[in-house]
Amino acid sequence: MQALTGAALAHIKADEFMPDEERGHAESAVREDESEALAYLVDPTDLVAEIPGVELAQASWSSEPVEYDPESMEWDLDEEDGDFDEEPDNA
């Protein structure tokens, strides 16, 4: 979580348009809650901007610590989660 928090703090520090009062609040929030750190790094609008017909109405973040088990199938990053990228079989 230190990497996530550190990246968010760096992002906040680099934002030249953020007022000092807001910057202090943002830094405090990021240090206290990982979901706040994520929110400063990922713009939810960017996640759906390229999808035709989709408009973001609301977004929220939450997080919870989990134990990393490299032997667990849940952590197999090479395994695909679904068939979303495959073309339908019209045969």
Side-chain angles (χ1 to χ4, degrees), residues 75-89:
W75 293 99
D76 187 2
L77 300 178
D78 293 330
E79 183 178 312
E80 292 188 26
D81 289 334
D83 298 329
F84 301 110
D85 293 336
E86 294 181 14
E87 293 293 322
D89 187 12

Side-chain angles (χ1 to χ4, degrees), residues 60-74:
S60 65
W61 300 102
S62 64
S63 67
E64 76 180 71
V66 296
E67 292 295 323
Y68 174 64
D69 178 5
E71 301 300 318
S72 171
M73 293 298 288
E74 292 179 21

